[in-house]
Amino acid sequence: MAAPHSPRSDDWWRDAVIYQVYPRSFADGDGDGTGDLAGVRARLPHLAELGVDAVWFTPWYASPMVDGGYDVADYRAIDPAFGTLAEAEKLIAEARELGIRTLVDIVPNHVSDRHPWFRAALEAGPGSPERERFHFRPGRGEHGELPPNAWPSQFSGTTWTRVPDGEWYLHLFTPEQPDLNWAHPDVRREHEDVLRFWFDRGVAGVRIDSAALLVKDPALADFEEGADPHPYIDRDELHDIYRSWRAIADEYGAVFVGEVWLPDAERFARYLRPDELHTAFNFTFLTCPWEVGRLRRTIDATLAEHAPVGAPATWVLCNHDVTRTVTRYGRADTAFDFAAKRFGTPTDLDLGTRRARAAALLTLALPGSVYLYQGEELGLPEADIPPERIQDPMHFRSGGIDPGRDGCRVPLPWEAEAPWYGFGSDGEPWLPQPEDWAHHAVDRQRTDPGSMLTLYREALSLRRSEKGFGDGPMTWLPAEDGVLAFARTDGLRCVVNLSDVPAALPPHERLLLASGPLRADGTLPRDTAVWLRA
Ligand code: GLC
């Protein structure tokens, strides 16, 4: 099969709007309560109407779903709950006909404990070549009863599990997600093959999960906080892996976006060198509080770190791992921090929504590409999940302190009056939907000029027709305290008021779009943004 668009010259990704689909919760085509590919295919017109350039699917492969599909048992099969490979191929083609490219999610750090390689490793026993594809070690202590090291898990708790023959294996996440040994040639070969498998099916790009964690120091030794180099974060050997991946992507004209959480801007930018990843998620922006100075510094730092390597920035407000934007922005602390997540944190959703609307215009006016997480265009808040319905391992592994990530993964409301808000026809959704979500439903919002959906549709449509948005230069304009104002080319201006008092707008010829009503005297109220033509 040929790649669907011409390789190399095509740099659509430099300013794309990419919509993240969490297949389990997008739309349920077969009525069993779990979203699926049939549901996505039926709802493609929503994405086309919204005006996105591409869709990134979180893992849709065969998986026991211990970590929502980030525990992959077979990369070449679609999970039966979602559909079949033939359907995925149809979906990719149908989306492409609507002008929407497809990105898949590859999880190279680990596989499911049901993956044939891990089954074989358990079976084959200590010292076998099968175990070398993972990190198996004898334990410490007199009888090997202690884990080989004290590395902390990304999901709290231990990173080692002991198998019946006495050996231990490493897992940075849950025990059901054994880490692969990236020093093993099979591991590299297999992933290169998997990339080709999906590129051959017309996939235009790949999101790389936990992209900075793959390589481990073979000594697997304990370390002190701040160790340099770190035994498993951001090791230099990773760049060689991504260079070989890039060569494959280039054959197809496909692109990468890396999930790279790194505080060091210079180290982050290394992943974006011209022969490595095309883009990486901007988590500094995602975690930034709604505060004028912090936002401005983050925007400047982002552009400064990307400039030397020539990569476009990405702008992300939320995803399937973090608190939904309208909820976060309505809190006293508007930053995002995994460690700070607690049940019952108070929020003012009206305030959060007003800010999220302003943030939408801010991000969509910045240079680079933008990621939208399903439901963000509907202004969905984080849902409270009753404790007995929680599924996310992050909750359980925190000893029940962290509410987990299910609150941002609730099945979407499509129709205000239909059972389950039209998510599916029969079965109760796998996570409960809040009772007061009718006003968030797509059918209500489509016809409401003041809805979040209308705002996103108008913004995406303008962003597409106005060539000055997307990739390219931006310049800060003089502004009152608490106001962000910047110019793009073609006379485009974006002004965001984060202060407590109304702000005067700079001279302009036309108001293109506003995130909320202006005041009668023409000034910009607090937590409101506008796009202007000067
Ligand atoms: C990434 C994913 C997250 C998953 C983890 C382990 O951070 O975004 O959802 O739990 O990797 O694969």
Side-chain angles (χ1 to χ4, degrees):
M1 243 174 290
H5 52 277
S6 60
R8 283 169 211 274
S9 59
D10 189 353
D11 56 2
W12 63 273
W13 49 275
R14 295 190 70 91
D15 56 13
V17 175
I18 300 170
Y19 184 97
Q20 179 189 355
V21 167
Y22 194 77
R24 213 176 179 185
S25 300
F26 187 73
D28 172 16
D30 65 5
D32 66 353
T34 293
D36 47 38
L37 302 192
V40 180
R41 289 173 66 195
R43 296 292 186 183
L44 279 177
H46 170 72
L47 300 179
E49 223 177 83
L50 180 59
V52 301
D53 302 297
V55 171
W56 146 39
F57 290 93
T58 57
W60 56 13
Y61 320 105
S63 164
M65 300 284 162
V66 170
D67 184 21
Y70 283 94
D71 45 324
V72 179
D74 181 355
Y75 272 110
R76 296 174 183 81
I78 299 294
D79 193 88
F82 295 152
T84 62
L85 184 58
E87 261 182 300
E89 289 172 349
K90 281 196 199 129
L91 167 52
I92 295 165
E94 286 162 1
R96 197 66 193 88
E97 269 163 37
L98 295 171
I100 301 172
R101 293 178 166 87
T102 297
L103 276 73
V104 294
D105 205 323
I106 298 289
V107 192
N109 181 67
H110 44 267
V111 288
S112 159
D113 63 344
R114 300 299 169 85
H115 189 284
W117 279 7
F118 193 70
R119 307 312 294 170
L122 288 184
E123 189 91 344
S128 61
E130 286 84 351
R131 288 214 170 169
E132 285 167 18
R133 293 176 179 144
F134 298 90
H135 299 285
F136 277 90
R137 291 288 188 282
R140 292 192 287 197
E142 201 181 331
H143 307 289
E145 71 283 9
L146 298 172
N149 67 32
W151 290 2
S153 167
Q154 304 289 304
F155 279 179
S156 52
T158 168
T159 46
W160 292 91
T161 292
R162 197 173 194 192
V163 300
D165 57 48
E167 279 205 324
W168 297 74
Y169 67 90
L170 175 72
H171 50 84
L172 292 184
F173 295 89
T174 70
E176 292 84 1
Q177 294 164 295
D179 279 45
L180 289 165
N181 172 13
W182 271 87
H184 197 296
D186 285 0
V187 173
R188 285 190 68 154
R189 203 168 330 134
E190 168 67 1
H191 281 83
E192 295 183 2
D193 234 61
V194 166
L195 290 175
R196 289 185 188 281
F197 180 88
W198 287 102
F199 292 153
D200 281 337
R201 274 157 188 79
V203 155
V206 165
R207 180 247 188 204
I208 307 170
D209 186 73
S210 304
L213 300 181
L214 280 45
V215 176
K216 277 82 187 176
D217 177 355
L220 301 182
D222 280 325
F223 64 95
E224 303 277 325
E225 193 62 46
D228 184 20
H230 192 282
Y232 61 85
I233 300 176
D234 184 34
R235 295 191 55 93
D236 285 339
E237 300 91 318
L238 282 163
H239 298 287
D240 182 48
I241 297 171
Y242 295 135
R243 277 188 206 104
S244 62
W245 286 26
R246 177 61 179 258
I248 296 169
D250 282 347
E251 287 173 36
Y252 292 86
V255 300
F256 293 116
V257 54
E259 189 204 16
V260 181
W261 291 85
L262 284 183
D264 181 323
E266 190 272 326
R267 298 286 310 182
F268 174 87
R270 289 182 191 209
Y271 291 82
L272 303 177
R273 289 177 289 200
D275 58 348
E276 298 192 41
L277 309 184
H278 303 72
T279 54
F281 293 119
N282 185 351
F283 292 117
T284 320
F285 187 73
L286 182 151
T287 53
C288 183
W290 184 248
E291 195 238 285
V292 71
R294 293 284 295 276
L295 281 169
R296 182 165 169 157
R297 281 199 295 283
T298 302
I299 293 166
D300 282 338
T302 298
L303 297 175
E305 80 199 17
H306 284 75
V309 285
T314 65
W315 306 100
V316 198
L317 291 170
C318 73
N319 64 32
H320 65 296
D321 291 329
V322 306
T323 308
R324 283 213 179 258
T325 318
V326 303
T327 300
R328 172 162 69 92
Y329 279 162
R331 289 177 174 168
D333 178 1
T334 53
F336 177 77
D337 177 3
F338 279 110
K341 288 184 74 188
R342 291 294 176 271
F343 284 98
T345 309
T347 183
D348 173 346
L349 289 181
D350 289 336
L351 176 64
T353 302
R354 203 158 66 232
R355 290 175 171 170
R357 293 174 63 90
L361 294 199
L362 169 64
T363 50
L364 288 165
L366 289 168
S369 63
V370 173
Y371 281 81
L372 270 184
Y373 174 48
Q374 68 177 40
E376 204 174 348
E377 82 280 24
L378 306 178
L380 294 187
E382 187 84 359
D384 290 323
I385 309 293
E388 70 282 3
R389 298 287 299 273
I390 293 181
Q391 306 221 6
D392 183 20
M394 229 172 168
H395 165 71
F396 299 108
R397 288 178 60 91
S398 74
I401 294 169
D402 179 337
R405 300 165 294 178
D406 294 329
C408 68
R409 299 174 175 181
V410 170
L412 293 191
W414 293 94
E415 294 154 36
E417 304 298 332
W420 320 122
Y421 303 120
F423 168 68
S425 45
D426 313 312
E428 186 187 350
W430 70 282
L431 281 177
Q433 299 164 304
E435 274 163 25
D436 56 353
W437 270 19
H439 67 288
H440 288 300
V442 173
D443 64 348
R444 287 263 171 97
Q445 297 205 34
R446 281 188 72 204
T447 50
D448 173 0
S451 73
M452 188 72 97
L453 180 57
T454 301
L455 178 72
Y456 266 103
R457 271 180 27 205
E458 290 176 352
L460 263 56
S461 150
L462 270 169
R463 191 177 181 276
R464 190 170 275 195
S465 58
E466 294 291 345
K467 296 296 163 228
F469 287 134
D471 203 19
M474 74 167 266
T475 323
W476 292 110
L477 299 171
E480 297 164 33
D481 276 356
V483 176
L484 293 175
F486 57 94
R488 303 298 316 268
T489 52
D490 290 348
L492 296 170
R493 305 272 184 273
C494 176
V495 185
V496 191
N497 184 3
L498 292 102
S499 77
D500 291 336
V501 292
L505 291 180
H508 58 278
E509 185 177 285
R510 204 150 74 84
L511 175 72
L512 298 174
L513 191 59
S515 71
L518 298 190
R519 292 161 46 96
D521 62 2
T523 55
L524 186 64
R526 59 178 287 216
D527 296 320
T528 307
V530 284
W531 287 357
L532 307 171
R533 182 182 307 289

